[in-house]
Amino acid sequence: MQMKSTLLTPSNHKTSQTKLRSQLTSGETDRTDKNSPTTIISNHGKKNHDVILGKLAHKLQQTLEHHQGECQIVVIQDFPDPDALSSAWAYQLIAQPYEINCDIVYAGTLSHQENIALVKLTGLPAKRWSVNTLKERDLSIYQSCVLVDSQGNTSQLMPLVKQAKIPVAVVIDHHSRQGDIRAEFIDLRPQTRATATIITQYLQAGLLHFDNSDNVHVKCATALMHGIRSDTNNLLQAQEQDLLAAAYLSRIYDSQLLNAVLQSARSRRVMDVIERSLKNRWTQNNVSIAGVGYLRYEDRDAIPQAADFLVTEENIHTAVVYGIIHDQDNDVEVVIGSLRTNKLTLDPDEFLKEALGKDAQGRYYGGGREMAGGFEIHIGFLGGSNDNTNYTKLKWEVFDAQIKQKLLRLINPEDKVIHS
């Protein structure tokens, strides 16, 4: 399949402004608020998809030209996944011709073995900055902030970025709107399976020509392919636009490198958490729930891996695994949970929002997408380390019972599962 793209160039180049085209078939139309820079693309038809994507690429080009020569801080979620990592890297490469220097940063850690392998094997330039580290950094070097695969609510760094009065220039995300977002350029596509798909569409539109003779481009294309693959359940949930993006990347990416990332072995600690989830699981109405107790901060990604494993059990269509994560750097504790389902009539986003509700600021504790979801609940006053074994045991029992009670209210209302 031959895909054409028109190369966009920074305004200081001799090439005149080029008409933007996209050869993608997105099946989407846009909804733009006249008083807002936000463009939300929703799945309403194919008629104007080329025009819409062309306008988006042109708008992003104008934003990059406006910030030419700047230093930008690209903030991704605290526990970045392949979609966030690859998309942020691709944005960094797109910004380079405009002499924009981007630092990709996250506050949490890489704990999933595939994420660790992805960064190590590709040399992906993402940096871990703890909140304490960021407090000591001079943020005045950054003229603007970029959010990729995030809207700022999944990063501990954003309050400090806002405190430093760094304006948000760009937001690119495939999740639904999370509160009030203000930026020069906002591209939200809740119907798109991966942010890596959105970024790849910008490449196809000509914002950057990926050259298969350039080793950095090959590795970034490999990372983007992994991002699309991971957020579409190995392409099983991919839509036409995801498959077209993957087809474009297939000419450039390194299949052996991607295979090496996918073959990375689980650590013993991850296996221990999976074993704990099996031992503690409680099943009813084809739903499996498992609390795994306290986990180290670095082992956070063992929770979704345990959920992935439990949902494969015979006669189980949904699995929820959760535990308490202790962040020693900030001495806080957070309940982290993951949901996995193969039940087509169960909406993870609706289920978790209805089950767990909102915090004091009106933000939902949980949310999700098709077949998967997650939640995060800060323990607050009861959080932090304690040397008293009986106290920590009692605290876990309280949170374990509370989460089970909230989930059961929907799993077993008069012996019926929600959405069954």
Side-chain angles (χ1 to χ4, degrees), residues 311-385:
V311 80
T312 63
E313 184 178 358
E314 185 181 15
N315 296 324
I316 293 297
H317 62 61
T318 302
V320 182
V321 179
Y322 54 90
I324 294 179
I325 306 296
H326 184 205
D327 180 357
Q328 291 183 329
D329 287 346
N330 301 297
D331 197 26
V332 296
E333 289 179 327
V334 184
V335 177
I336 297 292
S338 286
L339 179 150
R340 297 292 183 269
T341 185
N342 51 42
K343 187 177 180 64
L344 297 177
T345 54
L346 192 150
D347 183 341
D349 187 67
E350 180 183 341
F351 179 87
L352 290 174
K353 285 178 177 177
E354 186 173 346
L356 302 176
K358 305 176 182 179
D359 62 15
Q361 285 73 44
R363 291 182 175 176
Y364 286 103
Y365 289 115
R369 49 187 170 82
E370 188 174 355
M371 315 299 279
F375 56 91
E376 183 173 314
I377 305 169
H378 286 263
I379 291 179
F381 177 74
L382 295 179
S385 58

Side-chain angles (χ1 to χ4, degrees), residues 11-25:
S11 59
N12 62 338
H13 286 196
K14 293 181 181 180
T15 307
S16 61
Q17 184 172 318
T18 310
K19 181 180 178 181
L20 304 178
R21 295 191 306 162
S22 170
Q23 299 300 320
L24 302 178
T25 304

Side-chain angles (χ1 to χ4, degrees), residues 70-82:
E70 288 188 358
C71 287
Q72 292 184 333
I73 181 170
V74 181
V75 180
I76 55 180
Q77 59 217 52
D78 286 344
F79 298 89
D81 60 11

Side-chain angles (χ1 to χ4, degrees), residues 30-33 35-41 52 55-57 59-61 63 91 145-152 168-190 198 202:
D30 77 289
R31 182 174 74 256
T32 305
D33 186 339
N35 299 317
S36 167
T38 306
T39 299
I40 301 176
I41 297 186
I52 294 162
K55 286 181 178 178
L56 279 171
K59 189 184 294 186
L60 179 56
Q61 180 195 20
T63 304
Y91 175 85
C145 171
V146 174
L147 298 174
V148 178
D149 197 37
S150 169
Q151 295 171 39
V168 178
V170 174
V171 178
I172 302 174
D173 190 20
H174 74 116
H175 299 96
S176 58
R177 179 185 285 275
Q178 307 291 323
D180 185 31
I181 313 168
R182 298 184 182 277
E184 292 178 46
F185 176 85
I186 303 177
D187 185 359
L188 303 182
R189 307 196 199 176
I198 300 172
Y202 286 133

Side-chain angles (χ1 to χ4, degrees), residues 253-325:
Y253 89 113
D254 185 337
S255 59
Q256 291 183 335
L257 177 58
L258 179 55
N259 187 60
V261 171
L262 298 177
Q263 294 302 317
S264 53
R266 287 192 176 106
S267 69
R268 177 173 294 182
R269 293 194 299 272
V270 171
M271 296 301 292
D272 288 343
V273 173
I274 293 175
E275 181 182 11
R276 208 184 306 173
S277 70
L278 282 167
K279 180 180 178 182
N280 296 343
R281 76 190 188 285
W282 177 92
T283 62
Q284 187 166 353
N285 286 351
N286 307 107
V287 177
S288 182
I289 303 175
V292 293
Y294 293 89
L295 298 180
R296 300 190 320 165
Y297 191 69
E298 310 86 75
D299 298 331
R300 179 189 187 275
D301 275 328
I303 290 176
Q305 292 185 72
D308 287 334
F309 186 81
L310 289 190
V311 80
T312 63
E313 184 178 358
E314 185 181 15
N315 296 324
I316 293 297
H317 62 61
T318 302
V320 182
V321 179
Y322 54 90
I324 294 179
I325 306 296

Side-chain angles (χ1 to χ4, degrees), residues 25-29 44-50 240:
T25 304
S26 68
E28 298 178 332
T29 57
H44 290 151
K46 295 184 178 181
K47 184 177 180 181
N48 298 316
H49 67 273
D50 285 339
E240 183 178 8

Side-chain angles (χ1 to χ4, degrees), residues 59-311:
K59 189 184 294 186
L60 179 56
Q61 180 195 20
Q62 289 180 318
T63 304
L64 292 169
E65 289 173 348
H66 180 245
H67 292 272
Q68 188 159 342
E70 288 188 358
C71 287
Q72 292 184 333
I73 181 170
V74 181
V75 180
I76 55 180
Q77 59 217 52
D78 286 344
F79 298 89
D81 60 11
D83 191 28
L85 290 164
S86 64
S87 298
W89 189 10
Y91 175 85
Q92 182 189 64
L93 295 178
I94 289 172
Q96 280 181 357
Y98 301 86
E99 300 177 356
I100 298 174
N101 180 43
C102 296
D103 284 330
I104 304 169
V105 300
Y106 60 95
T109 187
L110 297 174
S111 57
H112 195 295
Q113 66 277 354
E114 288 182 6
N115 299 340
I116 295 171
L118 177 67
V119 171
K120 285 185 176 179
L121 294 177
T122 64
L124 199 152
K127 307 171 185 177
R128 180 178 183 259
W129 287 1
S130 69
V131 174
N132 291 334
T133 299
L134 190 59
K135 288 177 180 178
E136 299 169 358
R137 291 184 179 272
D138 179 15
L139 297 183
S140 64
I141 66 171
Y142 299 108
Q143 287 79 46
S144 56
C145 171
V146 174
L147 298 174
V148 178
D149 197 37
S150 169
Q151 295 171 39
N153 58 319
T154 55
S155 172
Q156 300 175 67
L157 302 180
M158 281 309 292
L160 295 173
V161 170
K162 291 178 181 178
Q163 184 179 327
K165 297 182 179 180
I166 302 173
V168 178
V170 174
V171 178
I172 302 174
D173 190 20
H174 74 116
H175 299 96
S176 58
R177 179 185 285 275
Q178 307 291 323
D180 185 31
I181 313 168
R182 298 184 182 277
E184 292 178 46
F185 176 85
I186 303 177
D187 185 359
L188 303 182
R189 307 196 199 176
Q191 301 299 326
T192 301
R193 292 288 186 258
T195 301
T197 296
I198 300 172
I199 291 288
T200 301
Q201 288 179 334
Y202 286 133
L203 298 175
Q204 289 176 281
L207 277 172
L208 178 68
H209 173 65
F210 257 15
D211 184 353
N212 57 13
S213 65
D214 187 317
N215 191 44
V216 173
H217 287 182
V218 170
K219 288 182 177 180
C220 186
T222 304
L224 286 169
M225 182 72 88
H226 185 32
I228 294 173
R229 174 203 156 276
S230 64
D231 265 31
T232 59
N233 190 20
N234 296 323
L235 297 179
L236 292 176
Q237 297 167 21
Q239 296 179 335
E240 183 178 8
Q241 58 189 325
D242 306 303
L243 294 172
L244 285 169
Y248 171 78
L249 295 170
S250 69
R251 303 177 307 168
I252 309 163
Y253 89 113
D254 185 337
S255 59
Q256 291 183 335
L257 177 58
L258 179 55
N259 187 60
V261 171
L262 298 177
Q263 294 302 317
S264 53
R266 287 192 176 106
S267 69
R268 177 173 294 182
R269 293 194 299 272
V270 171
M271 296 301 292
D272 288 343
V273 173
I274 293 175
E275 181 182 11
R276 208 184 306 173
S277 70
L278 282 167
K279 180 180 178 182
N280 296 343
R281 76 190 188 285
W282 177 92
T283 62
Q284 187 166 353
N285 286 351
N286 307 107
V287 177
S288 182
I289 303 175
V292 293
Y294 293 89
L295 298 180
R296 300 190 320 165
Y297 191 69
E298 310 86 75
D299 298 331
R300 179 189 187 275
D301 275 328
I303 290 176
Q305 292 185 72
D308 287 334
F309 186 81
L310 289 190
V311 80

